[in-house]
Amino acid sequence: MAKDVLLLEYSGCDTCRKARKWLDTQGVTYTVRPIVESPPTATELQTWIARSGLPVRKWLNTSGQSYRALGKASVDAASEAQLREWLAQDGKLVKRPVLITSDRVLVGFKPEAYGELFSARG
């Protein structure tokens, strides 16, 4: 399969491990980027959020400590630009895993979405 697949993940994340296992089982070749040590840049986020088709708020890991530290009220009051800035500063604030291909960006792991993406790529 294609080698233009990038997986942003956190090694301590069970969902990320499930995504990696799915990709490995399907024979998908991919590159791993640790999201905490190397969070997405502001420029990457601008592009990837648009390609994901999701609003920026769907990129937030609302169950993590980083989100709780900011507080729901702060997040609710923040502009999209502010949210992108926070996401670029703190990889743990990003919902994960993030799977990037040349034509799609998937946030979180849903086996059916991964299956649809890779069956279409052939």
Side-chain angles (χ1 to χ4, degrees):
M1 291 225 163
K3 294 182 183 180
D4 62 339
V5 178
L6 176 63
L7 184 71
L8 276 66
E9 62 128 38
Y10 173 58
S11 61
C13 170
D14 286 338
T15 306
C16 295
R17 283 193 285 273
K18 289 176 188 174
R20 286 185 72 167
K21 182 178 180 180
W22 189 97
L23 292 166
D24 292 342
T25 301
Q26 299 301 314
V28 176
T29 302
Y30 58 96
T31 301
V32 171
R33 179 167 140 189
I35 200 166
V36 174
E37 294 84 357
S38 186
T41 66
T43 302
E44 287 172 332
L45 283 166
Q46 185 87 19
T47 301
W48 293 344
I49 290 169
R51 283 192 15 223
S52 74
L54 297 172
V56 67
R57 292 180 188 284
K58 293 289 186 183
W59 280 69
L60 295 169
N61 174 14
T62 58
S63 62
Q65 290 179 354
S66 294
Y67 180 86
R68 286 193 294 275
L70 286 171
K72 184 176 180 344
S74 294
V75 172
D76 288 348
S79 67
E80 289 191 10
Q82 178 65 64
L83 292 173
R84 282 193 305 273
E85 184 178 318
W86 287 340
L87 289 166
Q89 292 171 354
D90 184 356
K92 285 191 176 180
L93 188 57
V94 180
K95 185 175 183 172
R96 51 195 183 262
V98 179
L99 182 82
I100 299 108
T101 68
S102 59
D103 54 349
R104 294 273 310 275
V105 175
L106 300 177
V107 180
F109 174 61
K110 294 182 182 154
E112 60 279 0
Y114 275 45
E116 179 183 309
L117 173 63
F118 289 104
S119 69
R121 291 169 62 93

